Amino acid sequence: MAQLTLKNVYKRYDNQEKKLFRKKKINDFAVKDVSYVCEDGEFIGILGPSGCGKSTTLRMIAGLETITAGDMYIGDVRINDLHPKDRNIGLAFEDYALYPPLNVYDNLAFNMRAKKKSEEEIRKAIDYVAPLMKIDDLLDMKPPALSGGQKQRVNIARAIVRRPGLLLLDEPLSHLDGKMRQQLRQEIKRMHHEIKCTTIIVTHDQMEAMSLADRIIIMKDGEIQQIGTPLEVYDDPANEFVAGFIGEPPMNLLPSVIIKNQENFMFTFEGSDLQVEVPKKYRDVVKDGMKVTLGVRPVDVLIASEKVKSTPVPVAIYENLGDERRVSVRVGEQLLSMTTTDDVYYEPGQKVQLIFHEERTHLFDPQTGERIRG
Ligand code: ADP
């Protein structure tokens, strides 16, 4: 078990260094000023779009990339210059890299044999790990005969068989189809619950991060945007990027100008008659004529009774998806969507009045993307 600490870690690849002198662009850093503490036994998900620096971060922790600046510690030990094999880390990457001529047992045993462990010790370790990853029936088989899901189970089993202090998983499920991903996700969760090894998973799939991780680190352009539990990043996004990145279907993010209408503040939208009352909690932070980006999840847009202060607008699209209905209205050039599990039907063109869930309506500064709190 291990606590991992990153302090102001930067990474600039050599070929980016030359560009830096020319353009001095800040995003020439693949990873920029990343700091966090991954607690002993914690499961952390690093989440973000392609190219945001997730793998680079993981590879620096593993010792496969040098660190341009900053410090990394496992426990109290500074690991910046420690050889990868001395970091007590288990690694499982997207590609399986199993040895094809060796059967599964020998693949699992390979690194332990290299460390001169006794056959009895190896047998004991494999007997413990094989049922955990549900590969006990596969031990005599060779990798070419295994399915993608089976190979990835073996890959992860091989990473944990030596009981590392830190387990690093880089997009381990991205080769697999939907059902297999979900199954293996549950097994990784169960395995972590059992061995409680400090674990970091890198993924671009928010469902994977949300379902597996105790805390999620969301990155963009090499920088951390927010660190929080799955619920925190969903309910309380730090900025517009996080708000739009987490959640399916995505949050409605609409440019709006707030106007004062007698005693009430109203959201207005360019190219649309729609006006919706601004939730009361923002009364002290908004003013007449203020530009904001309004963020509200489809599930938090409500179709209201006629008494509310909201302009009736025609339904543009009605979709029945079986377990939920999706209703969209046109707001200028954009659509504002709501979802509900209620058994409702709206004819396209039928007028509805919308309100936004008081506590779950978010405002963002359109210039900086930062959250405006009520
Ligand atoms: P992610 O894992 O989030 O997709 P990466 O960490 O792989 O992102 O990449 C972050 C940035 O670093 C990207 O701009 C990528 O092009 C760049 N990068 C990654 N590996 C190298 C490399 N070996 N040499 C130069 N640039 C690299």
Side-chain angles (χ1 to χ4, degrees), residues 66-254:
T66 55
I67 300 168
T68 306
D71 295 300
M72 288 192 186
Y73 299 85
I74 293 181
D76 298 332
V77 180
R78 186 172 176 276
I79 59 165
N80 288 41
D81 305 314
L82 213 58
H83 194 276
K85 72 175 172 40
D86 298 326
R87 297 184 185 206
N88 191 20
I89 280 173
L91 277 173
F93 288 116
E94 182 181 354
D95 52 5
Y96 317 112
L98 301 170
Y99 303 110
L102 303 184
N103 67 18
V104 168
Y105 185 95
D106 290 335
N107 263 284
L108 296 183
F110 193 88
N111 284 328
M112 294 182 80
R113 286 186 179 134
K115 291 225 163 197
K116 306 267 182 276
K117 302 283 180 195
S118 72
E119 284 302 316
E120 193 195 336
E121 209 175 332
I122 293 171
R123 161 71 59 191
K124 247 168 104 179
I126 294 177
D127 281 351
Y128 177 70
V129 153
L132 257 187
M133 289 313 297
K134 294 205 176 143
I135 55 164
D136 20 359
D137 294 341
L138 311 178
L139 294 175
D140 295 330
M141 291 172 72
K142 291 191 175 164
L146 303 177
S147 72
Q150 289 169 331
K151 279 183 197 155
Q152 194 52 277
R153 283 167 208 273
V154 175
N155 195 22
I156 295 171
R158 185 178 53 171
I160 59 178
V161 73
R162 282 183 297 129
R163 306 302 299 274
L166 192 59
L167 174 64
L168 305 179
L169 306 172
D170 192 352
E171 301 270 9
L173 308 182
S174 55
H175 273 158
L176 309 177
D177 63 39
K179 206 166 165 198
M180 183 60 75
R181 284 174 88 112
Q182 197 179 344
Q183 211 175 336
L184 200 47
R185 208 161 71 198
Q186 287 166 348
E187 270 146 35
I188 291 174
K189 199 166 174 94
R190 201 169 37 83
M191 171 276 290
H192 178 257
H193 193 72
E194 175 75 24
I195 68 171
K196 295 188 173 61
C197 172
T198 311
T199 302
I200 301 182
I201 187 166
V202 154
T203 175
H204 64 277
D205 178 343
Q206 51 154 320
M207 281 299 290
E208 217 161 280
M210 297 286 276
S211 65
L212 282 171
D214 299 316
R215 283 190 303 154
I216 300 175
I217 297 173
I218 298 171
M219 292 183 70
K220 178 185 167 241
D221 297 337
E223 289 181 274
I224 293 181
Q225 304 294 303
Q226 186 169 4
I227 303 180
T229 64
L231 217 60
E232 279 163 359
V233 295
Y234 181 85
D235 278 344
D236 198 12
N239 58 32
E240 189 178 330
F241 174 79
V242 175
F245 195 75
I246 299 279
E248 182 49 44
M251 188 183 278
N252 294 294
L253 289 164
L254 300 173

Side-chain angles (χ1 to χ4, degrees), residues 249-261:
M251 188 183 278
N252 294 294
L253 289 164
L254 300 173
S256 170
V257 177
I258 292 174
I259 60 157
K260 191 157 190 209
N261 180 352

Side-chain angles (χ1 to χ4, degrees), residues 13-16 27 29-31 48-57 65 170 202:
Y13 287 102
D14 284 346
N15 49 356
Q16 293 184 315
N27 59 6
F29 286 96
V31 168
S50 181
C52 73
K54 305 181 294 292
S55 296
T56 301
T57 306
E65 288 292 350
D170 192 352
V202 154

Side-chain angles (χ1 to χ4, degrees), residues 262-298:
Q262 291 152 1
E263 278 316 291
N264 302 300
F265 286 105
M266 307 293 286
F267 292 113
T268 67
F269 306 91
E270 196 182 326
S272 168
D273 293 338
L274 179 66
Q275 291 196 3
V276 183
E277 188 176 5
V278 175
K280 302 253 178 311
K281 68 170 180 173
Y282 292 113
R283 198 173 273 267
D284 295 338
V285 293
V286 297
K287 51 181 192 281
D288 195 25
M290 182 176 177
K291 286 185 181 170
V292 295
T293 301
L294 162 69
V296 58
R297 295 195 186 283

